[in-house]
């Protein structure tokens, strides 16, 4: 995955496009995910299919890697549309755009629209994810 | 439910196969490593104790993996190809909680081209409190 300069979340404005993040879905990554979520469906045992929620999770982490976030970020809601299968070995590109940002008291509300494309350029997942960010930290961490 | 003949028999009011999982520190830790999501509200008890929820909570995306398990059991690979999931995180899931994921078919719309299945889904803890509420739309 490419390393990008991180952007403080306070500087994000509606319309801001986060740097693209690319990653290859390696067998060990997928195996670790399946173990962590105790997924044993034969669909994954008999094929190279990657659980769609794993792809969404990797993408959210990849997108958030480009932002300096305070500790204690909380995920409030999400809309995810799964549009195509992803298999082990695919290379995924994640695109994110700030679609909503609001400061209310000492918290920030942030919504990021995202799109995940495979190596052929086809969108495999699209959606939006929203967070509450407490304004109390100068530490950083991935979501 | 996931073979094609069973999928053709889906009807309003049918329940999806339930999924249950117990949240523990190990599963949260494994998920943090697998997803590279090291937010301290999930993995640092001393930080989490002072944060909004007063203790460690599970990743929302870990809970959604259980929703995914239910939808995979119900619809097989169909849900990989064309499914929309809208969810709201209503309450935290904490270590020791037993989470039950359930779903019910709210509507089935069939046309010559396709069938759309609309499901209400929920994740509830052992006390019946809603942790996640939402809906899934699967195109068959």
């Amino acid at each position: 995955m490419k390393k990008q300069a991180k952007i403080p979340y306070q500087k994000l404005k509606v319309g801001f496009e986060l740097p693209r993040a690319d990653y290859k879905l390696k067998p060990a990554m997928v195996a670790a995910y399946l173990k962590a979520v105790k997924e044993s469906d034969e669909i994954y045992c008999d094929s190279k299919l990657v659980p769609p929620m794993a792809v969404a999770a990797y993408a959210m982490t990849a997108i958030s890697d480009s932002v300096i976030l305070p500790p204690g970020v909380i995920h409030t809601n999400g809309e995810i549309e799964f549009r195509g299968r992803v298999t082990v070995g695919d290379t995924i590109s994640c695109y994110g755009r700030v679609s909503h940002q609001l400061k209310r008291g000492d918290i920030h509300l942030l919504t990021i629209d995202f799109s995940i494309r495979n190596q052929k350029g086809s969108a495999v997942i699209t959606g939006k994810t929203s967070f509450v960010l407490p304004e109390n930290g100068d530490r950083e961490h991935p979501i | 439910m996931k073979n094609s003949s069973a999928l053709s028999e889906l009807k309003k009011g049918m329940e999806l196969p339930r999924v249950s999982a117990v949240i523990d520190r190990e599963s949260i830790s494994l998920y943090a490593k697998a997803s590279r999501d090291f937010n301290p509200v999930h993995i640092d008890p001393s930080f989490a104790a002072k944060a909004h929820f007063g203790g460690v909570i599970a990743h929302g995306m870990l809970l959604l993996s259980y929703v995914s398990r239910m939808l995979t059991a119900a619809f097989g690979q169909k849900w990989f190809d064309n499914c929309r999931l809208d969810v709201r995180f209503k309450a935290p899931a904490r270590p020791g909680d037993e989470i039950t994921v359930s779903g019910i078919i709210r509507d089935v719309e069939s046309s010559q081209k396709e069938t759309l299945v609309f499901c209400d889904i929920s994740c509830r803890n052992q006390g019946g409190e809603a942790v996640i509420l939402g809906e899934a739309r699967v195109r068959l």
Side-chain angles (χ1 to χ4, degrees), chain A residues 1 33 37-38 41 44 49 57 61 65 71-74 76-83 85 141 143, chain B residues 2 31 35-37 39 41 47 53 65 69 72 77 79-87 89 137:
Chain A
M1 194 180 300
Y33 180 89
V37 302
K38 300 182 175 71
D41 195 289
Y44 305 113
L49 285 171
T61 302
D65 274 348
V73 174
I74 296 166
T76 57
N77 59 293
E79 300 172 19
I80 311 174
E81 187 152 0
F82 300 98
R83 303 165 63 156
R85 299 177 195 191
H141 68 90
I143 290 172
Chain B
K2 57 187 162 186
Y31 187 83
S35 65
R36 297 188 306 108
D37 179 345
N39 185 333
V41 297
F47 174 87
F53 292 117
S65 76
R69 193 188 303 173
T72 303
Q77 296 182 23
W79 104 266
F80 293 24
D81 298 330
N82 209 321
C83 174
R84 182 184 171 91
L85 194 60
D86 290 351
V87 294
F89 296 93
R137 184 205 66 195

Side-chain angles (χ1 to χ4, degrees), chain B residues 113-132:
Chain B
K113 273 178 65 177
E114 64 188 10
T115 296
L116 293 175
V117 182
F118 298 86
C119 307
D120 290 327
I121 57 175
S122 69
C123 298
R124 293 180 186 275
N125 63 21
Q126 64 282 1
E129 182 185 17
V131 173
I132 292 177

Side-chain angles (χ1 to χ4, degrees), chain A residues 19 31 35 44 52-53 57 76 82 91 98 103 106 112 116 124 133 138 140:
Chain A
K35 181 181 177 188
Y44 305 113
M53 208 60 78
T76 57
F82 300 98
T91 296
V98 177
K103 187 172 186 299
D106 61 353
I112 295 175
I116 306 167
V124 290
L133 302 96
D138 48 10
E140 68 172 89

Side-chain angles (χ1 to χ4, degrees), chain A residues 22-74:
Chain A
D22 301 325
Y23 60 96
K24 183 166 183 162
L25 291 167
K26 297 174 183 169
M29 286 172 67
V30 179
Y33 180 89
L34 292 170
K35 181 181 177 188
V37 302
K38 300 182 175 71
E39 177 61 80
S40 57
D41 195 289
E42 61 191 22
I43 281 179
Y44 305 113
C45 300
D46 301 340
S47 71
K48 289 186 173 181
L49 285 171
V50 179
M53 208 60 78
V55 181
Y58 299 145
M60 286 185 195
T61 302
I63 288 169
S64 67
D65 274 348
S66 62
V67 182
I68 298 173
L69 295 165
V73 174
I74 296 166

